[in-house]
């Protein structure tokens, strides 16, 4: 998979359908040669255009033009390359230039862990890792670049480690990935949004200058997701070249494409350099988070399927990754803060009758919390609301045949809390400056171990006090006034990253101490839906918006990078609490079946007709979830370009089963029904339609299609196909 041509000094990384090559130049700079379709040629040095861009190592004449135009693997600032660098280092004299040259390489089987950071993993026979050592002699700075190639997937994982060999250095920027390409005919796809409309897909042509998305909010954010794609002009959902770039990190990030004056794109991805400086004392190292590069020649759909497989096989560690998750009911939209044991058990009794398997008690069970103004940090049950505490409630829920789960927001502190009275300095703050509230709460300083230890001991005590089999870990505000009274002045700019490392430390402790716990991440809906979180939890709450029509956009956008099996999806009440829309429960169910499936409404209050449909929806989930969870996703509709309908398919890996889901947003009269062409089936196979019993060839289903005869706005259907003998 990884080889080095000693004569031409070319590294070749080859995985399924993807080849990545780089070359050590005469002066030791590491150039990027090409990334794309595999080719057999042993030496493609001519792709660096030596006639137009002579390597100036002999004369040194106009070296700046060379540095500013050559394709590089890990560009440095301050030495004539004026495009976006991956690294900026300040020495003790205040100088900023850095010039990294090749030293050596090594290749190992499998993939080493990144200590303290989430990262993809692979067994020795599944992947190889290349480490390339670079050195700036003057600074005494060693940088090791890591490239892992996954044998069965068109993807590589990249990260970098900086080590100071002699003096104190200030790392002002240290990105994880750079990809220089030679032609500018690409569109950039990003996922942007806000609370209740997370991850809408945008596609725009690359143009001269820098097109960037970022977060400086302390988490990956509602506003932009740490993912971009470059799709070749004209590439569609099903054909053409597409690169996916995904950052395995949950904090401040930068993802940027820049078109240089020569029309060449440079993509970079990593920790956002804004408000970041990391101090390296002599002998210390800094490891960057990991970034993923994936490549597909089957369009945007192929890129998504590669990322889904990569994350399901090589990132999500949870034992639940390919297990059916219990059908849950969450009381948030059913009761908000207004509940007691009796009310909750009333909902649970109806839920148990309908076949629901897990009850999740959301916000409001602890301290004195009856609204969102108090008690974050006081992690003990409110016995006034829950007499007998959590263990009594959990026992009663268990007695109904259901599991019990619990909501926490462990990173937060309410100014009105016992914890704040005891430790007013435990929140992130700048001494002397007023502390900006959001949802009337402050963020705990997870860069401090004593804070993490204290919170974890409370969380652990609660989890050990009752039979709690699921946790929803929430995070409901962004960071502000990032600082503390503890760190030295020159280490204050480390706090945003140390905060994220602290969150990871706690999640690691949680999943190690409670290995069978089903953990769902959440952040004011879906503000921290990122690969970093998937390392710890197999599912993430996708959005507080459970309207199935707006969910089409949210789930479709999210699916560009993330597997549906990771998307928390619930059937909510009508009118929908976010937008007032009324939709049939069948469509709410069909759309929630795309992801993990659950309910978020008061079953004692919904209409009799709707209640009667719940068991059938659950039965359908049990029938379809294996396919949705482990199969390949094919998007058929594009809700961003035509919002009158949507459709998608899940196809089993062996192509013997498939599921078509169709939603008609807007019905029309006296027009032929919409004819949908299926995708992903295997030519030569015949499939039986479980709705009509009709057996048709894959060819007919994919080329002629099926008529979606259905009446009514917001109506939907799910059809299952099984391979048939003819
Ligand atoms: C966030 C979550 C919701 C709910 C509330 C509770 O908004 O996204 O699902 O848990 O917090 O306060």
């Amino acid at each position: 998979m990884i080889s080095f041509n000693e004569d031409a000094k070319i590294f070749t990384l080859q995985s399924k359908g993807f080849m990545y090559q780089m070359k050590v130049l005469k002066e030791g700079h590491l150039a990027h040669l090409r990334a794309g379709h595999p080719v057999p040629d042993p030496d493609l040095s001519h792709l660096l255009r030596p006639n137009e861009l002579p390597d100036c190592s002999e004369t040194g004449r106009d070296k700046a033009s060379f540095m500013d135009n050559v394709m590089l693997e890990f560009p440095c600032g301050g030495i004539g390359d004026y495009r976006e660098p991956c690294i900026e280092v300040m020495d003790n004299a205040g100088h900023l230039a850095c010039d990294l040259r090749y030293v050596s390489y090594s290749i190992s089987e499998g993939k080493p862990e990144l200590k303290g950071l989430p990262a993809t993993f692979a067994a020795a026979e599944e992947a190889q890792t290349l480490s390339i050592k670079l050195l700036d002699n003057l600074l005494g700075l060693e940088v090791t670049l890591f490239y892992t190639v996954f044998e069965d997937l068109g993807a590589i994982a990249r990260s970098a480690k900086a080590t100071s060999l002699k003096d104190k250095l200030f790392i002002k920027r240290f990105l994880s990935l750079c990809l220089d390409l030679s032609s500018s005919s690409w569109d950039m796809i990003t996922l942007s949004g806000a609370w209740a409309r997370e991850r809408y897909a945008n596609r725009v042509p690359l143009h001269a200058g820098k097109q960037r998305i970022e977060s400086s909010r302390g988490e990956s954010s509602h506003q932009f997701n740490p993912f971009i794609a470059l799709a070749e002009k004209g590439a569609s959902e099903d054909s053409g070249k597409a690169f996916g770039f995904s950052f395995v990190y949950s904090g401040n990030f930068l993802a940027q494409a820049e078109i240089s004056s020569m029309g060449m794109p440079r993509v970079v991805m990593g920790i956002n350099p804004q408000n970041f400086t990391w101090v390296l004392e002599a002998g210390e190292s800094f490891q960057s988070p990991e970034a993923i590069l994936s490549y597909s020649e089957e369009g945007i759909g192929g890129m998504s399927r590669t990322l889904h497989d990569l994350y399901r096989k090589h990132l999500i560690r949870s034992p639940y990754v390919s297990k059916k998750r219990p059908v849950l009911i969450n009381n948030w939209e059913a009761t908000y803060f207004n509940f007691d044991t009796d009310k909750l058990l009333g909902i649970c009794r109806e839920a148990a009758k309908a076949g629901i398997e897990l009850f999740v008690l959301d916000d409001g069970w602890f301290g004195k919390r009856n609204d969102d103004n108090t008690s974050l940090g006081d992690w003990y049950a409110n016995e006034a609301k829950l007499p007998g505490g959590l263990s009594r409630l959990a026992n009663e829920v268990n007695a109904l045949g259901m599991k019990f789960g619990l909501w926490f927001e462990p990173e937060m502190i309410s100014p009105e809390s016992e914890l704040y009275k005891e430790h007013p300095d435990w929140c992130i703050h700048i001494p002397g400056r007023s502390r900006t509230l959001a949802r009337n709460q402050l963020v705990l300083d997870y860069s401090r171990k004593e804070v993490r230890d204290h919170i974890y001991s409370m969380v652990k005590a609660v989890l050990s006090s009752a039979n709690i089999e699921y946790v929803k870990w929430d995070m409901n505000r962004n960071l502000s006034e990032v600082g503390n009274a503890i760190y030295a002045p020159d280490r204050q700019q480390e706090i945003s990253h140390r905060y994220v490392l602290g969150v990871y430390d706690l999640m690691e402790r949680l999943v190690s101490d409670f290995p069978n716990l089903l953990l769902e991440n959440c952040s004011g809906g879906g503000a921290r839906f990122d690969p970093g979180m998937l390392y710890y939890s197999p599912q993430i709450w996708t959005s507080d918006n459970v309207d199935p029509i707006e969910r089409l956009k949210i789930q479709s956008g999210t699916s560009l990078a993330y597997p549906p099996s990771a998307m928390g999806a619930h059937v909510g009440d009508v009118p929908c609490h976010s937008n007032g829309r009324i939709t049939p429960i069948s469509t709410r169910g069909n759309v929630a079946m795309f992801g993990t499936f659950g309910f978020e409404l008061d079953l004692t209050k919904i209409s009799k007709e709707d209640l009667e449909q719940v068991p059938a929806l659950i039965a359908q989930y049990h029938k379809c979830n294996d396919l949705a969870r482990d199969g390949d996703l094919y998007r058929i509709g594009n809700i961003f370009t035509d919002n009158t309908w949507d459709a998608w398919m899940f196809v089993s890996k062996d192509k013997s089963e498939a599921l078509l889901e169709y939603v008609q947003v807007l019905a029309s009269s006296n027009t032929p029904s919409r004819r949908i062409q299926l995708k992903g089936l295997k030519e030569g196979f015949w499939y039986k339609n479980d709705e009509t019993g009709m057996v048709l060839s894959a060819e007919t289903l994919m080329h002629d299609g099926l008529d979606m005869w259905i009446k009514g706005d917001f109506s939907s259907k799910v059809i299952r196909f099984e391979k048939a003998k003819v």
Side-chain angles (χ1 to χ4, degrees):
M1 285 187 279
I2 299 177
S3 59
F4 184 52
N5 174 340
E6 292 280 351
D7 299 333
K9 299 265 180 294
I10 289 176
F11 291 100
T12 299
L13 282 52
Q14 162 121 38
S15 67
K16 193 174 159 201
F18 182 31
M19 185 180 269
Y20 187 100
Q21 288 179 304
M22 43 202 158
K23 178 177 169 77
V24 182
L25 302 178
K26 272 190 213 143
E27 285 193 7
H29 297 109
L30 187 62
H32 176 74
L33 210 51
R34 65 184 294 279
H37 192 84
V39 294
D41 315 56
D43 183 357
L44 290 168
S45 304
H46 67 275
L47 292 176
L48 289 172
R49 304 181 205 270
N51 297 329
E52 299 153 51
L53 198 61
D55 181 343
C56 314
S57 49
E58 252 92 87
T59 64
R61 190 177 176 277
D62 203 5
K63 185 161 169 201
S65 301
F66 177 74
M67 292 309 296
D68 200 24
N69 290 294
V70 69
M71 301 199 294
L72 292 167
E73 277 299 315
F74 200 72
C76 305
I79 55 161
D81 178 358
Y82 299 96
R83 297 163 293 177
E84 193 86 4
C86 277
I87 178 168
E88 272 179 327
V89 185
M90 192 170 81
D91 61 18
N92 260 325
H95 299 138
L96 262 181
C98 175
D99 189 356
L100 293 168
R101 309 288 179 101
Y102 174 79
V103 178
S104 62
Y105 79 96
S106 65
I107 296 171
S108 60
E109 302 303 316
K111 183 165 191 292
E113 277 180 29
L114 300 188
K115 203 166 170 291
L117 282 165
T120 52
F121 51 82
E125 64 285 0
E126 294 172 327
Q128 274 188 334
T129 300
L130 169 67
S131 312
I132 301 181
K133 212 167 261 181
L134 309 171
L135 179 72
D136 181 316
N137 219 358
L138 186 66
L139 288 175
L141 176 73
E142 184 181 275
V143 170
T144 309
L145 306 182
F146 301 100
Y147 298 80
T148 296
V149 190
F150 299 90
E151 179 157 25
D152 57 344
L153 290 165
I156 61 175
R158 283 190 62 173
S159 72
K161 187 168 93 178
T163 305
S164 174
L165 302 179
K166 50 180 192 200
D167 286 323
K168 182 174 184 173
L169 295 172
F170 300 85
I171 309 281
K172 297 179 76 67
R173 153 194 297 260
F174 197 59
L175 304 186
S176 301
L177 171 149
C178 170
L179 181 67
D180 278 344
L181 294 166
S182 54
S183 102
S184 62
S185 54
W186 298 89
D187 293 338
M188 176 167 164
I189 299 172
T190 56
L191 300 174
S192 68
W195 175 79
R197 51 182 169 79
E198 292 91 341
R199 289 172 298 283
Y200 281 21
N202 317 284
R203 179 172 177 167
V204 290
L206 286 185
H207 54 81
K210 296 177 178 178
Q211 293 113 75
R212 67 194 267 155
I213 57 162
E214 63 181 335
S215 167
S216 54
R217 295 167 180 270
E219 63 171 340
S220 42
S221 89
H222 290 104
Q223 283 70 16
F224 290 105
N225 194 262
F227 161 82
I228 59 173
L230 291 195
E232 192 184 30
K233 278 217 180 335
S236 68
E237 180 64 23
D238 306 304
S239 66
K241 295 176 186 161
F243 285 105
F245 304 83
S246 197
F247 193 32
V248 189
Y249 188 61
S250 311
N252 297 338
F253 73 90
L254 166 70
Q256 177 181 293
E258 167 184 13
I259 299 285
S260 74
S261 56
M262 292 297 150
M264 290 158 68
R266 166 171 291 177
V267 178
V268 293
M269 182 172 250
I271 291 180
N272 195 342
Q274 186 188 334
N275 301 336
F276 171 86
T277 299
W278 194 275
V279 180
L280 275 189
E281 297 288 350
E284 284 180 356
S285 294
F286 179 79
Q287 170 66 52
S288 83
E290 177 168 289
I292 304 294
L293 171 66
S294 73
Y295 176 72
S296 155
E297 291 175 5
E298 284 173 29
I300 297 153
M303 172 203 73
S304 298
R305 286 186 290 279
T306 299
L307 287 172
H308 297 174
D309 281 342
L310 182 77
Y311 291 160
R312 287 182 299 197
K313 276 196 207 164
H314 298 288
L315 180 69
I316 302 173
R317 292 182 298 170
S318 165
Y320 292 93
V321 62
S322 74
K323 275 196 198 144
K324 205 195 291 161
R325 322 282 157 79
V327 177
L328 70 77
I329 185 155
N330 175 303
N331 74 308
W332 178 239
E333 290 206 353
T335 66
Y336 294 103
F337 294 101
N338 183 17
F339 60 80
D340 56 24
T341 302
D342 287 347
K343 193 171 188 179
L344 298 176
L345 287 175
I347 296 174
C348 289
R349 274 189 283 276
E350 280 301 336
K353 268 194 262 165
I356 293 174
E357 298 156 312
L358 161 67
F359 168 66
V360 178
L361 175 55
D362 211 280
D363 195 354
W365 59 266
F366 52 91
K368 299 193 180 74
R369 191 154 163 104
N370 293 313
D371 55 35
D372 59 13
N373 291 319
T374 71
S375 302
L376 293 167
D378 297 343
W379 299 112
Y380 40 84
N382 179 346
E383 297 251 356
K385 272 172 151 176
L386 306 172
L390 292 170
S391 64
R392 184 192 142 204
L393 180 60
N395 288 343
E396 301 232 19
V397 171
N398 289 165
L400 292 169
M402 292 166 73
K403 295 175 193 290
F404 179 70
L406 197 60
W407 179 97
F408 283 95
E409 197 176 355
E411 296 156 70
M412 297 293 151
I413 181 165
S414 304
E416 200 182 315
S417 65
E418 295 305 315
L419 188 69
Y420 197 75
K421 269 189 220 146
E422 277 166 48
H423 300 288
D425 65 318
W426 272 14
C427 61
I428 287 187
H429 69 284
I430 294 179
R433 201 171 277 291
S434 70
R435 302 172 181 191
T436 300
L437 294 172
R439 211 190 187 204
N440 206 10
Q441 63 199 52
L442 295 163
V443 184
L444 281 168
D445 188 352
Y446 268 27
S447 73
R448 293 171 62 180
K449 186 169 178 300
E450 68 275 29
V451 176
R452 300 199 301 272
D453 287 349
H454 184 85
I455 296 295
Y456 186 63
S457 68
M458 279 194 278
V459 170
K460 191 172 175 181
V462 172
L463 293 182
S464 310
S465 73
N467 187 19
I468 299 167
E469 297 181 71
Y470 162 109
V471 162
K472 174 176 172 187
W473 178 316
D474 207 344
M475 193 279 191
N476 276 318
R477 64 156 291 181
N478 297 150
L479 277 55
S480 61
E481 292 90 30
V482 178
N484 65 24
I486 306 289
Y487 283 45
D490 63 6
R491 292 209 177 250
Q492 290 288 321
Q493 297 305 308
E494 296 180 359
I495 290 177
S496 292
H497 180 56
R498 287 193 184 275
Y499 173 81
V500 180
L501 295 178
V503 172
Y504 291 151
D505 169 45
L506 237 64
M507 291 208 181
E508 188 65 48
R509 295 193 212 181
L510 187 64
V511 298
S512 308
D513 288 345
F514 301 93
N516 293 318
L517 187 75
L518 174 52
L519 180 63
E520 173 158 328
N521 260 288
C522 173
S523 177
R528 209 160 56 177
F529 204 117
D530 60 59
M533 286 293 139
L534 286 181
Y535 183 68
Y536 303 97
S537 64
Q539 58 195 62
I540 304 175
W541 184 227
T542 316
S543 175
D544 280 344
N545 188 345
V546 290
D547 167 51
I549 303 307
E550 292 198 324
R551 274 277 176 146
L552 295 175
K553 284 190 175 155
I554 295 167
Q555 294 179 181
S556 170
T558 305
S559 79
L560 285 188
Y562 304 99
S565 61
M567 293 184 207
H570 297 171
V571 175
D573 207 349
V574 283
C576 169
H577 293 198
S578 326
N579 62 11
R581 183 178 278 133
I582 296 179
T583 51
I585 195 164
S586 53
T587 295
R588 281 176 270 153
N590 289 341
V591 172
M593 245 166 256
F594 184 89
T596 71
F597 181 68
F599 293 81
E600 191 157 335
L601 38 69
D602 186 344
L603 285 177
T604 65
K605 292 198 176 138
I606 66 172
S607 72
K608 191 166 158 280
E609 296 72 40
D610 279 1
L611 188 60
E612 278 167 10
Q613 290 191 54
V614 170
L617 285 172
I618 293 173
Q620 183 174 316
Y621 161 78
H622 286 302
K623 208 166 155 196
C624 298
N625 182 253
D626 285 358
L627 265 175
R629 196 187 60 239
D630 296 335
D632 287 331
L633 172 72
Y634 290 84
R635 288 176 292 258
I636 299 178
N638 184 339
I639 192 71
F640 297 105
T641 54
D642 179 353
N643 62 13
T644 62
W645 66 283
D646 202 3
W648 58 90
M649 286 187 68
F650 294 104
V651 181
S652 64
K653 292 279 177 197
D654 66 1
K655 306 275 185 194
S656 67
E657 287 174 85
L659 198 68
L660 170 68
E661 305 196 29
Y662 172 77
V663 178
Q664 176 167 280
V665 179
L666 205 61
S668 58
S669 308
N670 196 21
T671 51
S673 57
R674 188 165 283 111
R675 189 165 286 178
I676 298 289
Q677 286 155 4
L678 274 56
K679 294 184 182 177
L681 302 177
K682 188 175 164 78
E683 300 213 351
F685 279 17
W686 293 75
Y687 293 90
K688 180 167 170 207
N689 175 331
D690 79 346
E691 190 194 31
T692 60
M694 206 189 256
V695 174
L696 291 171
S697 69
E699 289 82 343
T700 297
L701 289 166
M702 294 198 293
H703 293 278
D704 298 320
L706 271 189
D707 294 332
M708 291 296 117
W709 169 234
I710 186 169
K711 274 192 176 174
D713 289 352
F714 316 136
S715 49
S716 63
K717 62 163 73 187
V718 172
I719 307 176
R720 196 184 158 86
F721 296 85
E722 250 175 60
K723 190 181 168 209
K725 285 209 179 86
V726 281

